[in-house]
Amino acid sequence: MNFVEELRWRGMLHDMMPGTEELLAKEQVTAYIGFDPTADSLHIGHLCSVMILRHFQRCGHKPLALIGGATGMIGDPSGKSAERNLLTEETLRHNMEGMKKQLAKFLDFDSDAPNHAELVNNYDWMKDYSFLDFAREVGKHITVNYMMAKDSVKKRLNGEARDGLSFTEFTYQLLQGYDFLHLYETKGCKLQMGGSDQWGNITTGAELIRRTNGGEVYALTCPLITKADGGKFGKTESGNIWLDPRYTSPYKFYQFWLNVSDEDAKRYIKIFTALSKEEVEALTAEHEAAPHLRALQKRLAKEVTIMVHSEEDYNAAVEASAILFGGGTSEALKKLDEQTLLSVFEGVPQFEVSRDALAAGVKAVDLFTENAAVFASKGEMRKLVQGGGVSLNKEKLTAFDQVVTAADLLDDKYLLVQRGKKNYYLIIAK
């Protein structure tokens, strides 16, 4: 496989230095992408970079995932309007562990193949580097004029940031440049990749290598992923979509991809899956013939959820979706864990009732009018039950005075009441 061609048809190539494609055709190349360890999980904003490393390895080359332990203690001004919080060493180590586990789902770290992936941390080679040594051995090679010309620096200095640019952040591009130099000298790394906002930092590294030992190295960037409407990709009202199920449940993760627009689905299926060009073209044609069936979104959600989580999590997310949108059985509902149940019914009206009342048993008509105001009156509820329009935990209520007890609780805590086809209410026993 030709790596550059692969990125090109997937819409994942933004810019590259002349000679990059020729180098990749000639030999097995070692390349790296840096990841900021500001959390113990990656989010889907990182996923394009991760997929680039994955394609790189599939094309026979050797990927390095660099965790910016040292640079994470400083903060990169690229694309930022404020200085970020600095991290402690303990937090950095913890965050690295979480990120490595996730990267191992995409990259082969453990085989004895010559192109097995490696995880490196720039804190390991920066922690004992004194400021005087750094100023003498690195700082003297790059002029302030060169550094000031970078877009990330110019934007911050031209008043886009309230507090200007600290010296700490100004040195960031030198530190990142030194990473490239160090990996070039110790691992034979000739290529640095990243998002298009990193072009300035990457080219500083290439320039540093050229000026210190005359080495020939290269750069390649991918476009920053956006939504068709110009909105920020991967951000929702509740924040980032994380790869760690503790922060974003597999159900919510699946729903995110399922709900992208047609326009976005056409781009994302190329970027975030390993499906071949032929498969993507066939899927796109199928989608265009019947857009209402959302073939692209369904396949995208399936591929990414299985890749990040598991097939089991994907199946559970599909079942959970069916429960919310009309299908689903009481058995499927009972199988949901608490986190998924709450994710599925997030935003539906909730009522709290006393567990003691349920222990003794209470008539549904009293529970759903007096204890929890699901129905405005007992008469209204009686009518709806007679018409088959009320369900408890996905089973039709056959009698309005049916007795509900603690044994009916889901996860020993919840009752799900459905009124008509689309109105759900969650009753929480406390």
Side-chain angles (χ1 to χ4, degrees):
M1 277 167 63
N2 179 314
F3 175 64
V4 173
E5 274 309 307
E6 189 70 12
L7 294 193
R8 210 172 255 135
W9 81 259
R10 290 182 183 276
M12 295 169 80
L13 185 63
H14 185 268
D15 217 342
M16 63 178 171
M17 277 187 185
T20 305
E21 201 164 356
E22 292 75 4
L23 173 77
L24 290 160
K26 193 174 70 183
E27 61 188 74
Q28 180 186 290
V29 175
T30 298
Y32 88 94
I33 293 181
F35 296 90
D36 221 351
T38 43
D40 63 356
S41 170
L42 299 166
H43 53 74
I44 60 173
H46 295 114
L47 212 44
C48 181
S49 294
V50 175
M51 292 304 289
I52 284 178
L53 287 179
R54 190 180 197 202
H55 292 309
F56 192 69
Q57 190 171 39
R58 284 172 65 224
C59 291
H61 300 292
K62 182 178 175 72
L64 306 176
L66 179 139
I67 304 291
T71 35
M73 286 182 156
I74 289 178
D76 175 10
S78 306
K80 308 287 185 303
S81 59
E83 188 152 346
R84 67 177 53 171
N85 294 331
L86 309 186
L87 304 172
T88 65
E89 187 176 348
E90 189 187 352
T91 305
L92 283 167
R93 294 284 173 201
H94 169 76
N95 291 355
M96 258 190 83
E97 280 308 304
M99 291 167 78
K100 177 163 190 191
K101 263 189 221 153
Q102 291 173 341
L103 288 165
K105 290 188 172 184
F106 299 86
L107 302 171
D108 167 20
F109 285 99
D110 299 323
S111 77
D112 50 9
N115 70 327
H116 70 271
E118 288 183 48
L119 190 78
V120 292
N121 176 7
N122 61 13
Y123 184 70
D124 293 337
W125 57 83
M126 289 305 306
K127 66 178 186 291
D128 298 322
Y129 207 163
S130 80
F131 178 74
L132 289 177
D133 288 341
F134 187 79
R136 195 176 58 186
E137 292 166 24
V138 177
K140 72 172 185 182
H141 293 289
I142 301 290
T143 66
V144 169
N145 309 49
Y146 180 89
M147 293 169 74
M148 296 278 281
K150 299 295 182 183
D151 278 348
S152 58
V153 173
K154 279 199 292 199
K155 282 178 182 168
R156 288 288 292 274
L157 288 176
N158 291 344
E160 283 191 22
R162 215 174 38 243
D163 305 321
L165 181 73
S166 71
F167 175 74
T168 307
E169 286 183 298
F170 183 56
T171 58
Y172 186 93
Q173 60 173 298
L174 278 185
L175 287 171
Q176 187 170 327
Y178 181 70
D179 288 342
F180 200 176
L181 173 62
H182 177 83
L183 292 174
Y184 173 73
E185 290 178 342
T186 58
K187 304 241 178 230
C189 177
K190 292 185 184 176
L191 175 63
Q192 185 183 165
M193 305 186 287
S196 58
D197 61 335
Q198 290 297 311
W199 184 256
N201 291 333
I202 295 172
T203 49
T204 298
E207 185 66 8
L208 180 64
I209 291 167
R210 190 183 69 75
R211 292 186 186 188
T212 50
N213 57 31
E216 275 293 317
V217 292
Y218 300 87
L220 181 152
T221 60
C222 63
L224 294 181
I225 310 301
T226 55
K227 294 196 292 191
D229 64 8
K232 193 162 182 185
F233 166 74
K235 284 274 189 191
T236 64
E237 283 172 25
S238 53
N240 285 320
I241 302 292
W242 298 93
L243 306 197
D244 190 316
R246 290 174 303 160
Y247 306 135
T248 300
S249 69
Y251 167 77
K252 267 194 168 170
F253 186 85
Y254 166 78
Q255 283 292 326
F256 170 83
W257 299 100
L258 194 62
N259 288 314
V260 300
S261 70
D262 288 0
E263 209 51 46
D264 287 335
K266 283 176 195 169
R267 288 187 305 127
Y268 296 169
I269 196 122
K270 296 176 189 171
I271 297 168
F272 298 112
T273 77
L275 296 177
S276 69
K277 191 174 186 180
E278 294 70 31
E279 285 174 295
V280 168
E281 283 169 354
L283 266 171
T284 305
E286 184 190 332
H287 183 92
E288 281 169 355
H292 63 287
L293 296 177
R294 300 174 71 75
L296 274 175
Q297 284 94 335
K298 285 176 183 171
R299 186 62 184 275
L300 171 67
K302 176 180 181 176
E303 293 289 326
V304 186
T305 306
I306 290 173
M307 183 169 62
V308 169
H309 296 292
S310 69
E311 191 146 5
E312 198 181 341
D313 286 322
Y314 160 72
N315 291 330
V318 172
E319 273 194 8
S321 303
I323 290 166
L324 182 59
F325 300 111
T329 60
S330 61
E331 282 68 39
L333 180 66
K334 284 169 190 163
K335 276 198 311 195
L336 294 187
D337 59 86
E338 184 176 16
Q339 186 192 23
T340 307
L341 177 77
L342 292 175
S343 289
V344 173
F345 296 104
E346 186 179 26
V348 308
Q350 295 185 0
F351 302 100
E352 287 183 9
V353 299
S354 151
R355 180 177 281 279
D356 296 343
L358 289 174
V362 58
K363 288 179 181 175
V365 68
D366 295 332
L367 182 62
F368 301 152
T369 57
E370 292 168 11
N371 303 62
V374 174
F375 299 94
S377 68
K378 293 183 178 182
E380 182 199 11
M381 180 180 163
R382 192 178 284 122
K383 264 190 216 157
L384 264 168
V385 170
Q386 284 165 354
V390 181
S391 295
L392 174 62
N393 297 343
K394 281 288 172 185
E395 287 180 347
K396 286 257 187 286
L397 266 191
T398 50
F400 71 93
D401 58 354
Q402 179 179 320
V403 174
V404 181
T405 70
D408 294 305
L409 291 170
L410 303 165
D411 280 321
D412 198 34
K413 193 174 178 183
Y414 305 99
L415 294 170
L416 180 69
V417 184
Q418 190 175 353
R419 194 176 92 181
K421 277 191 175 175
K422 292 184 179 168
N423 298 311
Y424 288 97
Y425 304 85
L426 201 58
I427 295 177
I428 304 168
K430 289 206 165 174

